Amino acid sequence: MRIMILTGAGISAESGLGTFRNSGGMWSSYDLAEVATPQGFATDPDKVHDFYNARRKSVLSAEPNAAHIALARLERMLSGNVTIVTQNIDNLHERAGSRNIIHMHGEIVRALCNICRNRWDAPKTMRPDDACPKCGEAAIRPDVVWFGEIPYHLDHLDELLGTVELFVAIGTSGQVHPAAGFVQMAAASGARTLEINLEPTEITPYFDEVKFGTATSTVPAWVADLVSRL
Ligand code: NAD
């Protein structure tokens, strides 16, 4: 069975990484237009680097939780048939042991040169005058997809959504496109669809089945049930 698992900020919430819209989180103290858009970066690159340097630090000190670990187990059991598509820029799926991961919004632990598009492992702290190791230009940025930019790997995702048999969305609010539309694309290809979230979302009506609860309780239970029926 080919399974696509779309994850969002909710799967990393219990690892201590704030979701996009939770109150009191790091995101809520910043204006998104200032720190997560190409225009914001052009206006004040120091501020944007400060924001992502702080987020990188949080990610590196966070640990994968039981939900990340359960998904890695599922991938090992169904070798070659599980793809994790994450909107998260953290690296908790990798650190839990998942291997087949598509980072559609990029990765906070990678750097990108805005001039030559070179990518490399990000230093812990970036500054606007850091030079690209390939072209030497001071055009370093985090390798993350900002609002107004096109998510990565969309052609590949389109292909996968055409052949998937089970589509599962975990901890995503369904407010950020194009990921919010994946459930309908998967359903149109004949896939069964399952949503796992703390609460109903805008896209809940499009799923065949919904499980409400925290990711760390609901995801391991779902994986255990699926594995027991293999
Ligand atoms: P979102 O913040 O819009 O929604 C989070 C969802 O997770 C909500 O629906 C919420 O009900 C659910 N949730 C919260 N805690 C949960 C828990 N313990 N168990 C299960 N569900 C829980 O996040 P999103 O849909 O991923 O969308 C937004 C954007 O935010 C993405 O583009 C992503 O790049 C960015 N983001 C990433 C991170 C990260 O990398 N960890 C963190 C914050 C935001």
Side-chain angles (χ1 to χ4, degrees):
M1 177 169 45
R2 284 182 296 279
I3 306 178
M4 182 191 283
I5 301 168
L6 174 70
T7 63
I11 196 167
S12 296
E14 291 163 87
S15 292
L17 301 179
T19 63
F20 201 39
R21 294 176 176 82
N22 70 335
S23 57
M26 191 183 294
W27 288 95
S28 61
S29 27
Y30 283 85
D31 179 344
L32 284 187
E34 290 177 3
V35 297
T37 62
Q39 295 78 7
F41 186 61
T43 306
D44 192 344
D46 274 299
K47 183 179 208 166
V48 174
H49 278 302
D50 284 347
F51 174 71
Y52 285 98
N53 288 338
R55 296 202 62 214
R56 190 175 305 104
K57 196 172 168 196
S58 308
V59 164
L60 294 175
S61 60
E63 293 295 332
N65 64 44
H68 299 105
I69 291 167
L71 296 185
R73 175 176 174 233
L74 183 66
E75 183 181 331
R76 283 194 300 277
M77 304 284 297
L78 289 171
S79 178
N81 286 308
V82 176
T83 305
I84 293 181
V85 178
T86 189
Q87 299 167 88
N88 294 344
I89 58 175
D90 68 50
N91 60 2
L92 297 182
H93 285 302
E94 288 83 339
R95 286 165 54 204
S98 290
R99 291 291 166 260
N100 193 15
I101 307 164
I102 298 175
H103 275 279
M104 61 181 295
H105 291 168
E107 298 170 70
I108 186 96
V109 294
R110 300 279 289 164
L112 168 67
C113 173
N114 244 344
I115 304 280
C116 74
R117 313 306 286 173
N118 179 37
R119 290 185 164 84
W120 67 101
D121 286 340
K124 277 190 183 154
T125 303
M126 289 188 199
R127 297 262 53 97
D129 49 4
D130 290 346
C132 166
K134 191 169 172 199
C135 73
E137 294 289 339
I140 182 174
R141 58 169 278 186
D143 188 11
V144 301
V145 176
W146 285 325
F147 290 97
E149 296 183 321
I150 298 169
Y152 297 156
H153 312 297
L154 288 185
D155 287 347
H156 184 39
L157 289 171
D158 209 38
E159 273 171 39
L160 289 172
L161 283 161
T163 60
V164 67
E165 292 163 282
L166 173 61
F167 174 84
V168 185
I170 303 172
T172 176
S173 61
Q175 291 181 36
V176 178
H177 285 273
F182 287 176
V183 57
Q184 288 157 287
M185 292 169 73
S189 308
R192 211 165 62 76
T193 57
L194 164 68
E195 180 179 51
I196 297 179
N197 202 301
L198 272 185
E199 56 191 21
T201 67
E202 286 180 18
I203 54 173
T204 297
Y206 300 114
F207 286 85
D208 297 322
E209 193 187 344
V210 183
K211 292 181 191 290
F212 295 123
T214 60
T216 57
S217 59
T218 321
V219 175
W222 167 68
V223 168
D225 180 52
L226 190 66
V227 165
S228 74
R229 288 189 280 113
L230 289 176

